Amino acid sequence: MELQIIKTEKEYEDLLDWVDNQFDLNHPPESKEGGKLQIALLLIKQYEDAHYPVPLPDPMEIVRQKMTENGLMNKDLVNWIGSKGYVSALLSGKKPLTLRIAKVLHKKLGIPAEVLLA
């Protein structure tokens, strides 16, 4: 297989099939074949990033998910970002997410900034 930039869906599908077969052969990563497989995976990722972008999730959905994971309630965010009513309005989408609040949520909940600023 000659590796090159993927330009068509057919080339993409063919390379996916080739990669699948190479995985079955279980080449060591440091071998020549393993290196070629790694390059093929990079080419596939480049094509997928360009043709199948994954949209960022809704920031407030992620905040609610992180709150659930950490056992937090709306009232727990009051000390971080404001009144109970403001927290409720923010989480329901009635109030906008400001840069200051995004920074706080990033720091306190570990949510990536690019998700909060999407």
Side-chain angles (χ1 to χ4, degrees):
M1 163 77 53
E2 182 183 334
L3 297 177
Q4 59 187 12
I5 300 294
I6 304 169
K7 296 180 185 115
T8 67
E9 190 70 20
K10 171 135 178 43
E11 290 175 352
Y12 169 70
E13 293 292 335
D14 290 346
L15 192 56
L16 283 177
D17 290 341
W18 181 83
V19 164
D20 190 42
N21 290 331
Q22 295 304 301
F23 273 125
D24 291 342
L25 298 174
N26 203 20
H27 297 297
E30 62 278 353
S31 69
K32 182 179 178 182
E33 295 83 9
K36 196 172 181 180
L37 180 57
Q38 290 177 36
I39 293 169
L41 291 171
L42 290 172
L43 291 169
I44 289 169
K45 182 181 180 335
Q46 178 187 31
Y47 184 84
E48 288 175 345
D49 287 349
H51 293 86
Y52 304 108
V54 177
L56 290 173
D58 173 55
M60 288 302 103
E61 182 63 33
I62 298 302
V63 170
R64 288 189 293 274
Q65 180 181 351
K66 283 291 194 175
M67 288 173 62
T68 301
E69 288 173 8
N70 293 312
L72 298 172
M73 306 288 284
N74 289 12
K75 67 181 179 176
D76 299 317
L77 274 63
V78 169
N79 290 335
W80 300 348
I81 59 177
S83 70
K84 185 178 175 185
Y86 188 83
V87 170
S88 180
L90 179 68
L91 292 174
S92 69
K94 294 177 183 171
K95 291 281 187 187
L97 179 64
T98 65
L99 184 56
R100 182 189 71 77
I101 295 172
K103 286 180 182 179
V104 169
L105 295 173
H106 167 70
K107 183 177 178 183
K108 299 284 190 180
L109 297 176
I111 300 171
E114 57 269 11
V115 170
L116 291 169
L117 301 174

